[in-house]
């Protein structure tokens, strides 16, 4: 019988696991939050991932549980593990992607380079941090933020008063130094339960309004030192946190040539979408191999350059279907991936991948193809 992979969450990441699962002969099943989600082709259950009984019932019919997102509560995950369910990544690792304060504390223990940070529960502590860091800082809600949500640059303690007012007892905010960086990078590592790891090339990510807009793979003008440091950080975190599956480490390359960890994701990640068409083994196949504890695939690039451009928002008028013919005919070498989502301003509704030997040409083609869907 085929190995049954259960994915909690019905978004585009689960959707993009379906094709490689079929190719690998894996039986993929999805617990979607609602009907009609991106991964509806494999949605065998619909329900609340925060409800133990719902997740327990779903887990009974699969061999391994993995995730489209990091939001499943710890108590649900630990109950599954206690009942003998294989969960990858497990709760002991996943909590560091769920809570940024826990992440910062653990990375500090591991000696991983990161921005200065502190746990703050009120305006006085925040002001003290600001005073020590030139009057500016970044405040983050420890849980639940993504794509720029739950992140705020502050220049006075009062700038976070509304967030402090909403804190429950014993909760806190995370404050970090405002890093002066020349660009953002991402390092992906795949690790299987038996310990085998492989590393993808470090990539450059381009953010607009807090959302990833483009990815250049590998990162242009990356020195040997940068490549070695980024990969070393990724491997250290994957091993030190016991991650299984795909790990994405978001990084800052600072103006003074340091490499600092920004955030973590323990699943396939937007920074790795280029690998679907640009690597020997794409991140979605790799994640399935890893959580199933199968030998990991080759992460090497197929071409000198690969570029991913997100389709954000979608067509203001008409449908995606109206745009495919022109996009495909004008850019036959572009790979177009859509998520089955309705258009909405700022929403990630698809992406385009291109590859080749001339970076300028590859970037132009990806942008031009994606523009057909604006």
């Amino acid at each position: 019988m085929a190995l049954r992979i259960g994915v909690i969450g019905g978004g585009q990441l689960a959707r993009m696991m379906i094709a490689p699962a079929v190719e690998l002969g894996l039986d993929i099943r999805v617990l979607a939050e609602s009907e009609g989600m991106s991964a509806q082709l494999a949605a065998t259950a619909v329900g609340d991932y925060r409800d133990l009984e719902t997740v327990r019932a779903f887990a009974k019919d699969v061999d391994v549980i993995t995730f489209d997102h990091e939001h499943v509560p710890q108590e649900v995950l630990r109950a599954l593990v206690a009942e003998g369910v294989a969960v990858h990544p497990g709760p002991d690792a996943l909590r560091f992607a769920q809570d940024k304060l826990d992440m910062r504390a653990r990375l500090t223990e591991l000696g991983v380079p990161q921005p200065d940070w502190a746990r703050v529960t009120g305006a006085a502590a925040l002001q003290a941090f600001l005073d020590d860091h030139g009057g500016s800082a970044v405040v983050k809600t420890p849980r639940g933020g993504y794509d720029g949500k739950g992140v705020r640059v502050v220049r006075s303690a009062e700038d976070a008063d509304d967030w402090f007012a909403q804190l429950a007892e014993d909760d806190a905010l995370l404050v970090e130094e405002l890093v002066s960086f020349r660009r953002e990078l991402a390092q992906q590592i795949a690790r299987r339960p038996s310990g085998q790891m492989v590393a993808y090339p470090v990539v450059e990510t381009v953010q607009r309004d807090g959302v990833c807009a483009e990815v250049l793979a590998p990162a242009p003008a990356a020195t040997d030192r940068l490549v070695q440091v980024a990969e070393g950080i990724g491997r250290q975190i994957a091993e030190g946190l016991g991650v299984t599956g795909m790990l994405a480490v978001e990084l800052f390359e600072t103006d003074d040539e340091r490499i600092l960890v920004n955030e973590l994701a323990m699943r396939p990640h937007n920074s790795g979408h280029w690998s679907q068409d640009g690597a020997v083994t794409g991140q979605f196949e790799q994640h399935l191999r890893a959580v199933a504890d199968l030998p990991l695939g080759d992460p090497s690039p197929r071409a000198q350059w690969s570029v991913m451009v997100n389709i954000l928002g979608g067509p203001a008028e008409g449908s995606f279907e109206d745009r495919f013919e022109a996009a495909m005919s004008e850019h036959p070498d572009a790979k177009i991936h859509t998520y089955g989502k309705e258009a909405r301003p700022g929403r990630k509704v698809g992406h385009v991948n291109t590859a080749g030997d001339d970076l300028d040409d590859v970037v132009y083609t990806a942008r031009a193809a994606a523009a057909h869907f604006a």
Side-chain angles (χ1 to χ4, degrees):
M1 184 173 70
L3 187 68
R4 300 166 299 175
I5 308 290
V7 183
I8 297 179
Q12 66 260 27
L13 301 182
R15 177 190 181 96
M16 289 183 277
M17 293 183 207
I18 296 172
V22 172
E23 293 166 355
L24 291 171
L26 301 173
D27 180 356
I28 187 168
R29 306 181 183 192
V30 171
L31 172 61
E33 294 88 334
S34 59
E35 299 285 352
M37 294 191 68
S38 291
Q40 61 183 317
L41 285 172
T44 58
V46 175
D48 187 350
Y49 60 80
R50 298 165 297 185
D51 178 68
L52 175 57
E53 292 308 315
T54 297
V55 176
R56 180 182 277 143
F58 176 68
K60 287 180 180 178
D61 293 326
V62 300
D63 300 302
V64 178
I65 288 286
T66 191
F67 309 96
D68 170 88
H69 56 70
E70 291 106 341
H71 305 314
V72 182
Q74 280 283 310
E75 57 269 25
V76 172
L77 298 176
R78 294 188 182 281
L80 294 182
V81 171
E83 293 165 11
V85 178
V87 178
H88 296 299
D92 288 338
L94 199 61
R95 74 183 184 93
F96 298 113
Q98 292 177 326
D99 191 300
K100 295 179 179 66
L101 280 167
D102 285 351
M103 176 196 75
R104 288 295 181 211
R106 181 62 178 137
L107 294 187
T108 298
E109 292 174 354
L110 292 174
V112 172
Q114 54 183 338
D116 288 342
W117 66 278
R119 181 181 188 274
V120 292
T121 57
L126 177 55
Q127 189 60 56
F129 189 92
L130 287 167
D131 293 343
D132 289 340
H133 292 83
S136 300
V138 177
V139 174
K140 298 180 179 181
T141 55
R143 303 178 68 87
Y146 66 97
D147 286 346
K149 299 177 177 67
V151 178
R152 182 182 296 176
V153 175
V154 300
R155 292 181 170 83
S156 73
E158 292 75 21
D159 290 344
D161 278 351
D162 56 332
W163 283 0
F164 284 127
Q166 296 170 18
L167 287 179
E169 189 175 357
D170 297 327
D171 280 350
L173 299 177
L174 169 65
V175 60
E176 300 175 352
E177 68 169 303
L178 184 60
V179 174
S180 178
F181 61 90
R182 63 179 60 169
R183 60 177 172 173
E184 294 184 68
L185 306 170
Q187 175 67 62
Q188 284 193 302
I189 301 288
R191 182 175 182 269
R192 58 190 285 208
S194 60
Q196 182 194 7
M197 283 191 284
V198 297
Y200 284 83
V202 62
V203 302
E204 179 176 345
T205 64
V206 180
Q207 315 291 320
R208 296 196 183 101
D209 298 324
V211 177
C212 180
E214 299 179 358
V215 174
L216 312 178
T223 64
D224 289 344
R225 172 189 171 275
L226 186 153
V227 170
Q228 293 169 3
V229 169
E231 181 175 333
I233 288 171
R235 288 180 178 273
Q236 183 182 5
I237 292 173
E239 183 72 30
L241 272 53
V243 178
T244 46
M246 289 298 304
L247 166 70
V249 183
E250 298 181 70
L251 301 162
F252 294 125
E253 182 182 8
T254 69
D255 292 340
D256 57 358
E257 299 185 345
R258 293 177 296 157
I259 305 298
L260 304 179
V261 175
N262 181 18
E263 296 190 354
L264 307 177
M266 297 179 191
R267 50 173 169 77
H269 188 256
N270 204 166
S271 64
H273 288 354
W274 69 272
S275 67
Q276 282 178 292
D277 307 296
V280 175
T281 307
Q283 66 165 343
F284 297 99
E285 176 183 340
Q286 197 78 280
H287 185 71
L288 293 170
R289 286 178 178 235
V291 302
D293 206 12
L294 297 171
L296 299 179
D298 183 355
S300 301
R302 292 183 177 275
Q304 184 173 350
W305 299 106
S306 292
V307 172
M308 189 270 335
V309 172
N310 271 327
I311 300 171
L312 299 173
E317 297 179 358
S319 66
F320 277 99
E321 292 72 19
D322 299 334
R323 313 298 179 92
F324 273 110
E325 179 151 348
M328 290 177 171
S329 62
E330 293 180 25
H331 307 287
D333 53 341
K335 298 293 188 180
I336 301 167
H337 302 265
T338 58
Y339 304 158
K341 293 181 174 181
E342 293 184 3
R344 189 173 70 201
R347 189 183 202 188
K348 293 178 183 175
V349 293
H351 67 270
V352 173
N353 287 333
T354 55
D357 295 331
D358 186 293
L359 180 57
D360 288 342
D361 286 346
V362 174
V363 170
Y364 171 80
T365 301
R367 290 175 178 172
H372 282 280
F373 299 93

